[in-house]
Amino acid sequence: MNAVPAPLAPRIAEIVRETGETAITLRLDLDGTGQAEIATGIGFLDHMLTALARHAMFDLRVEARGDLHVDFHHTTEDVGIVLGQALRRTLGEKRGIRRYGHAVVPMDEALAEAAIDLSGRPFLVWQVPFERPKIGEMDTELFEEFFRALSSNGLFALHVMLRHGHNAHHVAEGCFKAVARALRQAVEPDPRAAGAIPSTKGMLEA
């Protein structure tokens, strides 16, 4: 008779980070229902983080105050840093999870692909060209900075590719949704893993 896996402990992290450029409070629940309360002062970033939470099925609360009078760079990057730290904290030793995630998401004419390995080794491959420099007031180059901060602080390999598409809003949204879906798959408990660390080394580097 097969043993019933023990229920997961709550995978929740709360982080407060304050610097001379930003002040961020974030709460992440990996096993939520996709609820989001986001207030970064950057409307489009709020929209993308809300989409990420919904499609990853994370409950996510973010409150950020940053030097937006300078530009949006520090706030965008620092939110990525804190979200990555929260992911790392909630996953712990990563026992019993799937580890890998992959998703391809269409957004009208755009098609975005994301692949994730929660390996403990940070790396970002970003192959997402934008045809215009801004979406509203947000620089499109900041999306790469967000995902680099996320993967570097979450300690995972992340590949994001745009297969095709030209509408900048659709491209960005497709990327966030693809990463969200890949994350949801990667952090999901594997019922066949019986709490084992998903590595032949017996550990995933921290």
Side-chain angles (χ1 to χ4, degrees):
M1 187 173 180
N2 293 332
V4 177
L8 283 175
R11 300 190 294 174
I12 297 171
E14 298 189 36
I15 294 179
V16 176
R17 182 178 192 268
E18 294 190 16
T19 72
E21 298 165 342
T22 63
I24 298 170
T25 301
L26 182 146
R27 185 182 191 276
L28 172 67
D29 181 351
L30 286 191
D31 304 302
T33 58
Q35 301 301 306
E37 298 176 32
I38 313 293
T40 66
I42 305 171
F44 194 77
L45 182 59
D46 290 356
H47 179 42
M48 292 298 96
L49 292 172
T50 300
L52 188 148
R54 177 62 58 86
H55 288 273
M57 292 299 284
F58 298 161
D59 287 348
L60 178 63
R61 185 169 68 242
V62 180
E63 183 177 348
R65 290 181 289 106
D67 54 358
L68 302 183
H69 63 286
V70 176
D71 66 8
F72 293 171
H73 186 283
H74 296 144
T75 299
T76 302
E77 182 178 38
D78 286 8
V79 169
I81 288 171
V82 176
L83 181 55
Q85 291 172 345
L87 273 168
R88 189 169 82 236
R89 188 176 296 179
T90 56
L91 288 170
E93 288 186 300
K94 302 169 188 166
R95 289 184 178 276
I97 64 168
R98 296 189 183 278
R99 173 178 168 177
Y100 295 98
H102 175 254
V104 180
V105 170
M107 186 74 188
D108 294 348
E109 90 297 342
L111 187 70
E113 181 176 6
I116 285 171
D117 175 14
L118 298 174
S119 59
R121 300 182 302 278
F123 202 89
L124 174 69
V125 174
W126 178 261
Q127 296 178 353
V128 184
F130 283 91
E131 293 185 7
R132 56 189 172 108
K134 286 183 178 287
I135 302 175
E137 296 182 342
M138 187 169 186
D139 296 324
T140 52
E141 69 181 11
L142 293 181
F143 300 122
E144 181 176 2
E145 297 306 316
F146 172 83
F147 285 116
R148 179 173 289 108
L150 179 68
S151 61
S152 294
N153 288 271
L155 300 182
F156 61 90
L158 171 62
H159 294 243
V160 188
M161 290 80 68
L162 179 68
R163 293 308 182 196
H164 48 77
H166 59 83
N167 180 288
H169 188 131
H170 295 164
V171 169
E173 190 163 346
C175 289
F176 271 82
K177 288 178 176 178
V179 171
R181 291 273 169 172
L183 270 173
R184 177 179 174 181
Q185 188 179 105
V187 306
E188 191 174 59
D190 184 345
R192 298 176 63 189
I197 293 174
S199 171
T200 55
K201 294 186 294 187
M203 65 173 290
L204 289 169
E205 296 172 12

